[in-house]
Amino acid sequence: MTIFSADALKDQHILITGATGGIGYETAKACAAAGAHLTITGRNEDKLSLLKGECEEQNPLSNVTLFSADLDDANDRQSLIEAAIMENGPITGLVNGAGIAGGASLDELDEQDLRKIMELNFTSTVLLTQAVYKEMLKTNGGAVVNVSSLSGLRGTAGNSAYAGSKFALIGFTQSFAVEAIEHGIRVNAVCPGYVDTKMGRDSIERKGEKSGRSYEEQLKTAEAGIPSGRISTPEEVAQTILFLLTTAAGNIVGESIKISGGSVM
């Protein structure tokens, strides 16, 4: 279900990273349906091609550019931005959806895993945003939405690396938001809890394994602790991101929108 019109993002150009993940995938489709032109990026070219087709089905007038990029690589980041602008004009919206889960309790945490999680979830996100921001400053307008997590708002056992990266992303969101709004650029974040995506399901399964429970048993346990009684869908997260990209959210600045079914308030 959507409350948005087919021209809510008309003539806008939205760059979405992590577009082959569950949340990024649905966000791209939602933005296309709202009239946006898109640049979508991820590491799975086949899935990007499939998404491009689905977006163009949603809106035949939407120009969808796909670009396979390694966001840890400075040259790839710059090439992505240059290709996006060449194909679709100035970037007016950025959705930082790329990210990975993982980590362990601190006594078992591997340095290489820690650096990988921080690099993709935080450092490369900041550096890509910096480069896009320089382009947005030329037009004095735009919107940035960072995909953080409930883990960016509260810590849980065995989650120090991932939570640390997502806490960092929230700090970045708030600081950057104060700087960017002076130039008409809005910056916000979404903080989902468990979402019915591969990453979310894998996380539930890993937690179940530690407790000796099957995926189904662990899912029931997780949902029992959520007031709404269920985990979120990627479409619900995508609709929240879409809202933050539109002018309907014109005076929402530096917020971290929780999507948790009431589990964190």
Side-chain angles (χ1 to χ4, degrees):
M1 177 181 179
T2 178
I3 63 170
F4 296 99
S5 69
D7 61 358
L9 290 178
K10 184 179 180 182
D11 298 326
Q12 301 299 302
H13 172 198
I14 312 299
L15 169 60
I16 301 173
T17 73
T20 54
I23 292 173
Y25 201 96
E26 293 302 326
T27 299
K29 289 166 59 179
C31 288
H37 301 302
L38 300 173
T39 299
I40 54 176
T41 184
R43 299 190 187 192
N44 186 328
E45 292 190 31
D46 290 340
K47 200 167 183 181
L48 283 176
S49 296
L50 180 64
L51 176 57
K52 174 180 168 68
E54 291 189 29
C55 288
E56 290 171 344
E57 284 182 13
Q58 292 273 1
N59 178 11
L61 298 179
S62 178
N63 186 37
V64 182
T65 300
L66 59 86
F67 193 97
S68 179
D70 177 359
L71 297 181
D72 291 341
D73 185 280
N75 291 329
D76 269 19
R77 291 193 299 268
Q78 190 58 41
S79 295
L80 166 64
I81 293 170
E82 290 173 358
I85 293 172
M86 182 178 296
E87 292 294 328
N88 292 322
I91 298 168
T92 59
L94 170 64
V95 178
N96 284 311
I100 55 174
S105 59
L106 188 60
D107 57 332
E108 297 178 345
L109 184 60
D110 179 80
E111 180 179 350
Q112 186 174 353
D113 288 343
L114 172 62
R115 292 187 181 280
K116 182 178 179 181
I117 290 168
M118 289 301 298
E119 180 68 27
L120 182 56
N121 290 1
F122 179 67
T123 305
S124 63
T125 295
V126 172
L127 292 174
L128 176 68
T129 304
Q130 180 186 54
V132 172
Y133 181 49
K134 290 177 181 177
E135 297 296 329
M136 287 182 169
L137 286 173
K138 297 175 182 178
T139 57
N140 281 314
V144 177
V145 181
N146 295 320
V147 180
S148 185
S149 168
L150 291 185
S151 292
L153 302 174
R154 54 92 175 96
T156 54
N159 204 29
S160 57
Y162 181 73
S165 71
K166 293 299 186 177
F167 264 86
L169 193 56
I170 293 299
F172 167 63
T173 297
Q174 294 178 2
S175 295
F176 178 38
V178 176
E179 299 170 4
I181 196 59
E182 295 182 8
H183 305 282
I185 299 166
R186 293 179 299 104
V187 182
N188 293 285
V190 294
C191 297
Y194 282 127
V195 182
D196 188 18
T197 62
K198 184 181 185 306
M199 182 184 289
R201 291 188 294 271
D202 286 348
S203 179
I204 292 170
E205 186 171 24
R206 285 195 302 271
K207 194 165 186 177
E209 288 173 353
K210 292 179 181 179
S211 305
R213 301 188 184 103
S214 67
Y215 169 80
E216 291 75 16
E217 291 170 335
Q218 186 60 41
L219 176 61
K220 287 182 180 179
T221 299
E223 291 184 325
I226 301 173
S228 69
R230 65 176 179 85
I231 64 176
S232 299
T233 67
E235 291 85 356
E236 289 168 332
V237 181
Q239 290 296 311
T240 305
I241 293 170
L242 177 56
F243 167 64
L244 292 172
L245 289 170
T246 70
T247 55
N251 205 32
I252 298 179
V253 177
E255 293 293 341
S256 302
I257 308 297
K258 295 184 287 291
I259 309 168
S260 72
S263 62
V264 177
M265 297 186 187

